[in-house]
Amino acid sequence: MMKQIVLITGVAYLLGSCKTDAQSLQQPYEQEKFIRQYFELFNQHNWEKLSAMYADTAEFKDPSLGQGIVLQNREEFIKKYAALSQAFPDVKDSVVNIYPSGSNHVVVEFISTGTAPDHSRFELPICTVFTIEKGMITKDFTYYDNFDQ
């Protein structure tokens, strides 16, 4: 009887371990898929759906918002990106690389481009660190060179 309990416990442990390994292998894939959807929505200028990928209030670190961490709700997010697309109607982000990191972080390198109504263009390399918790973006820490050339 004792051998059977040990055997059953051992098999249960192995099956549980396999499930955990499969989940951990799939998680980076799911994170990458989630972030690719994010950039598709960005390039469609679908600010409403894009904002729904964020928690009700998320933490942002972005030179355009000033220094430090700024809390923004979805409405503020939509307003910011609607203004961006008004200033640059063809604004687009091209993903260079996606680096899933740990259980809830994804680092993304991308190039943002756009043309203003006066036909001046910009091209800006950007790096963003997303924190994803319970299927929602809770932190969006964005880094780029914001010094005038």
Side-chain angles (χ1 to χ4, degrees), residues 55-60 65 70-74 76-77 80:
D56 292 337
T57 301
E59 294 180 29
F60 290 84
L65 297 172
V70 175
L71 295 177
Q72 279 198 322
N73 62 34
R74 291 178 181 154
E76 292 167 317
F77 175 90
K80 174 189 174 191

Side-chain angles (χ1 to χ4, degrees), residues 40-48 85 88-92:
E40 285 176 24
L41 291 171
F42 181 94
N43 289 336
Q44 295 168 8
H45 299 185
N46 193 334
W47 312 131
E48 209 47 59
S85 62
F88 300 98
D90 65 344
V91 66
K92 180 182 177 196

Side-chain angles (χ1 to χ4, degrees), residues 93-105:
D93 289 345
S94 300
V95 173
V96 174
N97 237 323
I98 297 175
Y99 308 97
S101 176
S103 62
N104 63 344
H105 294 93

Side-chain angles (χ1 to χ4, degrees), residues 7 9 16 22 25 27 36 42 45 52 54 65 70 102 111 113 122 125 127 130 139 141:
L7 181 60
T9 305
L25 288 174
Q27 190 166 357
R36 287 202 184 278
F42 181 94
H45 299 185
Y54 285 86
L65 297 172
V70 175
I111 307 289
T113 58
F122 80 90
C127 183
F130 292 102
K139 295 179 184 174
F141 290 7

